[in-house]
Amino acid sequence: MERKHYKQDINMTETLMNRINELISHYPEDKKKSALLPVLHEVQDAHDNWLSIELMDKVADILGILPIEVYEVATFYTMFNLKPIGKYMFEFCQTSCCCLRGTEDLMDYTCEKLGVGIGETTPDGLFEVRGVECLGACGYAPMMQLGDFYKEHLTREKIDQLIADCRDNKIILHDK
């Protein structure tokens, strides 16, 4: 299988570098690698919510670690995106409680409504649907994460409303 290499403009602004340095300062000088997770979050947030190989290489350089050490972390966690994604990422919990409450049917319904498969972005770049591991909100199943927020007790009607609200730019994705 051929892998597509996505290009990304890297913009390590003064504000971003100040934030990275502040995060690094929380750890001993010889343990910069400990800042890897929060640094990756900050860098991803500042770069359209995804990490290119070149951007991960830059993070490795900043932290004084090998690029493979960054790749290992970024490819392990589903919270890091290794390709451009839709503006609105519907991340459905796919573990026991949510599956028992119908999350798989809701994922299929959402994909059908949007005309995409799991992991695909709509042609307009607005939406992507993904299944993820436990989001830790079993009492609110079925649920998903949209940006920094949980959407709980999902139904087809709630999915329809979320899609409409996203299209109308009424959804806030981040609490920053």
Side-chain angles (χ1 to χ4, degrees):
M1 178 175 100
E2 183 179 333
R3 290 186 181 257
K4 183 170 180 167
H5 182 78
Y6 298 94
K7 294 289 184 187
Q8 181 178 44
D9 290 332
I10 297 175
N11 186 17
M12 302 300 279
T13 64
E14 183 179 345
T15 302
L16 178 58
M17 285 306 301
N18 287 341
R19 177 66 178 138
I20 289 169
N21 288 326
E22 191 265 324
L23 291 168
I24 291 170
S25 76
H26 293 248
Y27 303 95
E29 180 65 32
D30 64 333
K31 303 289 185 209
K32 284 184 182 179
K33 181 180 178 180
S34 299
L36 182 55
L37 284 173
V39 167
L40 282 175
H41 281 294
E42 291 293 327
V43 170
Q44 178 173 267
D45 287 350
H47 288 86
D48 296 324
N49 207 27
W50 72 283
L51 301 166
S52 65
I53 292 170
E54 294 81 11
L55 191 53
M56 289 186 281
D57 290 348
K58 182 70 175 169
V59 169
D61 185 51
I62 291 168
L63 294 176
I65 60 178
L66 297 173
I68 188 65
E69 295 176 276
V70 178
Y71 307 157
E72 288 169 341
V73 170
T75 59
F76 179 79
Y77 293 105
T78 59
M79 64 190 124
F80 298 118
N81 304 304
L82 304 179
K83 66 179 183 71
I85 62 166
K87 178 179 179 180
Y88 300 104
M89 170 83 73
F90 288 12
E91 296 180 287
F92 286 88
C93 179
Q94 285 191 288
T95 47
S96 303
C97 290
C98 286
C99 285
L100 289 170
R101 302 286 312 268
T103 199
E104 291 165 321
D105 290 337
L106 288 172
M107 287 176 71
D108 290 343
Y109 176 77
T110 305
C111 286
E112 185 179 309
K113 289 280 292 187
L114 298 173
V116 295
I118 304 287
E120 295 176 352
T121 303
T122 56
D124 60 8
L126 278 181
F127 298 97
E128 186 167 329
V129 178
R130 219 185 249 183
V132 297
E133 291 303 315
C134 187
L135 291 170
C138 302
Y140 307 105
M143 57 86 59
M144 71 169 169
Q145 185 168 341
L146 180 56
D148 291 341
F149 302 99
Y150 283 176
K151 304 299 178 183
E152 303 159 340
H153 301 292
L154 293 172
T155 62
R156 287 179 177 218
E157 294 76 23
K158 286 184 178 181
I159 296 292
D160 291 341
Q161 188 62 56
L162 282 170
I163 291 170
D165 288 348
C166 288
R167 286 194 170 124
D168 291 340
N169 207 24
K170 293 180 180 176
I171 296 290
I172 295 170
L173 292 174
H174 303 290
D175 61 0
K176 295 181 192 178

